[in-house]
């Protein structure tokens, strides 16, 4: 995102009725941010065309694209997408992940919006191969819409692991939310899952109790939030949950329902390289709400900007401090 601003939102649509909600959510988000939208539909190669002579296959493909183009124009009209806010629309033949990533790069999209359920090429294994491949290649945030997404999302959960990249992604996510906030009272709940293994390692290294490990983790989390929340105009609360991240994040969502879950990534490994490790792919699949995934590239501007402001090594990533030191 240029200057961490959302100016252009790319929305993937399957053209089915279930995709209307995805497009509405992307459009509402774009309007709140003062951005424009670009709609894309991918026509997957039909295996039935294999075996046809080359000319006939091209004719059928052309007819299919023409029909999908009409349906896309119909969806734009039905959802009352006006010319000033519609940056463009496109129908292309190919794998959804490839079409999304290529067009996102071509038009300079600041955010990609896709749906988590339904039929059509954008829904098939969305949190499997398609999303994985998209996240490997794009350098902008990806919003996976599940159900109805309030805009702005008033209840947001942001798990963090207190790492360097986690801080950058956390700030990037908060500033993105700030663009949507307006006068709304957004509340962000930040949690850090302290696994039993981490607590035991801390106990062995410091000679203190597991309870002290939890108190230390809570103190580090509070400091993490203070140093990374920047100047966002909404409440941010923090809590440490003893347990495995996979379990505790999903349990947190059950106990404190959220409109949006924000996850950062730690590299170009797709869902298997999310900041919380491989467990995050499970969290993204099972989360009952929409999920915003922020790549290191999307968060990079935040880290660089903060480092320049500090004119020194970034101070938002403190190392664990042993009790009594």
């Amino acid at each position: 995102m240029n200057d961490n601003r959302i100016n252009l939102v790319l929305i993937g649509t399957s053209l089915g009725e279930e995709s209307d909600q995805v497009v509405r959510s992307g459009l509402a988000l774009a309007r709140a941010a003062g951005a424009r939208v670009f709609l894309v539909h991918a026509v997957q190669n039909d295996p039935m065309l294999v075996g046809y002579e080359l000319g006939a296959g091209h004719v059928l493909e052309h007819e299919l694209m023409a029909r999908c183009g009409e349906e896309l124009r119909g969806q734009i009209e039905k959802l009352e997408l006006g010319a000033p806010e519609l940056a463009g629309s496109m129908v292309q033949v190919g794998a959804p992940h490839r079409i999304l990533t290529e067009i996102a790069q071509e038009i300079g999209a600041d955010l990609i919006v896709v749906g988590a359920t339904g039929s059509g090429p954008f829904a098939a294994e969305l949190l499997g191969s398609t999303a994985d491949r998209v996240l490997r290649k794009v350098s902008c945030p990806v919003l996976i819409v599940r159900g109805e997404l309030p805009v702005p999302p008033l209840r947001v959960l942001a798990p963090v692991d207190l790492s360097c990249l986690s801080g950058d992604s956390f700030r990037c996510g908060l500033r993105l939310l700030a663009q949507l906030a307006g006068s709304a009272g957004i509340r962000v709940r930040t949690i850090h899952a302290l696994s039993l293994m981490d607590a035991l390692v801390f106990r062995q290294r410091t000679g203190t109790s597991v309870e002290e490990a939890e108190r230390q983790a809570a103190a580090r989390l509070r400091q993490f939030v203070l140093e990374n929340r920047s100047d966002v105009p909404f409440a941010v609360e923090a809590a440490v949950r003893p347990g495995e991240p996979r379990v505790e994040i999903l349990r947190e969502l059950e106990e404190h329902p959220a409109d949006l879950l924000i996850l950062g990534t730690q590299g170009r490994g797709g869902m298997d390289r999310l900041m919380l490790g491989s467990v995050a792919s499970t969290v993204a699949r099972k989360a009952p709400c929409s999920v915003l995934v922020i790549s290191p590239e999307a968060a990079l501007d935040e880290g660089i900007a903060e480092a320049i402001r500090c004119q020194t090594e970034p101070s938002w990533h403190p190392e664990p401090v042993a009790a009594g030191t």
Side-chain angles (χ1 to χ4, degrees), residues 213-224:
E214 293 179 10
R215 286 192 289 271
Q216 288 274 337
R220 291 171 56 208
L221 178 58
R222 288 192 297 270
Q223 187 67 21
F224 177 96

Side-chain angles (χ1 to χ4, degrees), residues 197-317:
M197 180 61 67
D198 289 339
L200 291 176
V201 169
F202 179 89
R203 177 182 178 180
Q204 183 179 20
R205 187 174 69 244
T206 63
T208 58
S209 65
V210 172
E211 290 75 14
E212 179 62 22
E214 293 179 10
R215 286 192 289 271
Q216 288 274 337
R220 291 171 56 208
L221 178 58
R222 288 192 297 270
Q223 187 67 21
F224 177 96
V225 171
L226 286 174
E227 294 175 343
N228 287 289
R229 64 166 294 160
S230 189
D231 55 352
V232 294
F234 40 79
V236 180
E237 60 182 69
V240 171
R241 295 192 65 120
E244 296 302 318
R246 182 201 320 258
V247 175
E248 295 307 320
I249 295 172
L250 294 174
R251 185 174 294 164
E252 176 72 25
L253 287 170
E254 290 180 1
E255 297 175 2
H256 301 89
D259 301 317
L260 181 67
L261 173 66
I262 298 179
L263 293 174
T265 68
Q266 282 196 349
R268 289 189 174 277
M271 301 302 281
D272 289 335
R273 292 294 181 271
L274 289 175
M275 76 176 176
L276 299 176
S278 61
V279 298
S281 61
T282 300
V283 172
R285 286 187 176 93
K286 294 185 176 182
C289 60
S290 297
V291 182
L292 176 66
V293 182
I294 299 177
S295 69
E297 291 82 3
L300 183 61
D301 288 343
E302 278 296 321
I304 292 176
E306 189 68 15
I308 292 174
R309 283 194 292 270
C310 294
Q311 297 184 8
T312 184
E313 185 70 14
S315 60
W316 55 83
H317 317 302

Side-chain angles (χ1 to χ4, degrees), residues 1-294:
M1 290 188 298
N2 295 327
D3 301 323
N4 297 117
R5 296 286 312 173
I6 302 176
N7 297 307
L8 184 58
V9 178
L10 175 62
I11 306 175
T13 173
S14 66
L15 300 179
E17 291 185 3
E18 74 286 341
S19 71
D20 286 352
Q21 189 173 63
V22 177
V23 178
R24 285 194 183 97
S25 296
L27 178 58
L29 188 150
R31 286 171 173 168
R36 304 180 74 196
V37 299
F38 196 107
L39 266 61
V40 175
H41 173 68
V43 180
Q44 287 187 308
N45 294 321
D46 191 343
M48 293 297 292
L49 295 180
V50 177
Y52 278 87
E53 62 179 87
L54 185 60
H58 283 168
V59 170
L60 292 175
E61 183 178 282
H62 178 75
E63 292 177 351
L64 179 59
M65 290 188 64
R67 185 172 71 250
C68 290
E70 292 179 3
E71 293 179 6
L72 180 57
R73 287 188 290 274
Q75 186 176 51
I76 291 173
E77 182 177 349
K78 177 173 62 175
L79 299 181
E80 299 180 347
L81 255 167
E85 58 192 356
L86 181 63
S89 61
M90 184 178 297
V91 174
Q92 282 197 6
V93 176
H97 72 272
R98 180 178 62 80
I99 298 301
L100 277 174
T101 55
E102 288 181 357
I103 295 180
Q105 293 172 0
E106 289 174 6
I107 68 175
D110 301 303
L111 176 70
I112 296 176
V113 178
V114 291
T117 59
S119 59
F122 280 102
E125 298 182 342
L126 181 60
L127 295 183
S129 62
T130 298
D132 178 77
R133 292 171 183 173
V134 169
L135 293 172
R136 286 174 187 269
K137 296 181 178 297
V138 299
S139 59
C140 64
V142 177
L143 174 64
I144 301 171
V145 176
R146 179 179 283 111
E148 183 177 355
L149 174 64
V151 178
L154 299 182
R155 301 169 300 175
V156 179
L157 178 63
V160 298
D161 63 8
L162 306 182
S163 70
C164 178
L165 287 173
S166 180
D168 296 341
S169 297
F170 182 71
R171 284 194 311 281
C172 183
L174 291 187
R175 294 201 173 183
L176 188 153
L177 288 175
Q179 296 178 54
L180 313 177
S183 60
I186 294 178
R187 296 189 65 85
V188 176
R189 183 169 171 83
T190 304
I191 66 169
H192 171 60
L194 180 67
S195 70
L196 178 60
M197 180 61 67
D198 289 339
L200 291 176
V201 169
F202 179 89
R203 177 182 178 180
Q204 183 179 20
R205 187 174 69 244
T206 63
T208 58
S209 65
V210 172
E211 290 75 14
E212 179 62 22
E214 293 179 10
R215 286 192 289 271
Q216 288 274 337
R220 291 171 56 208
L221 178 58
R222 288 192 297 270
Q223 187 67 21
F224 177 96
V225 171
L226 286 174
E227 294 175 343
N228 287 289
R229 64 166 294 160
S230 189
D231 55 352
V232 294
F234 40 79
V236 180
E237 60 182 69
V240 171
R241 295 192 65 120
E244 296 302 318
R246 182 201 320 258
V247 175
E248 295 307 320
I249 295 172
L250 294 174
R251 185 174 294 164
E252 176 72 25
L253 287 170
E254 290 180 1
E255 297 175 2
H256 301 89
D259 301 317
L260 181 67
L261 173 66
I262 298 179
L263 293 174
T265 68
Q266 282 196 349
R268 289 189 174 277
M271 301 302 281
D272 289 335
R273 292 294 181 271
L274 289 175
M275 76 176 176
L276 299 176
S278 61
V279 298
S281 61
T282 300
V283 172
R285 286 187 176 93
K286 294 185 176 182
C289 60
S290 297
V291 182
L292 176 66
V293 182
I294 299 177

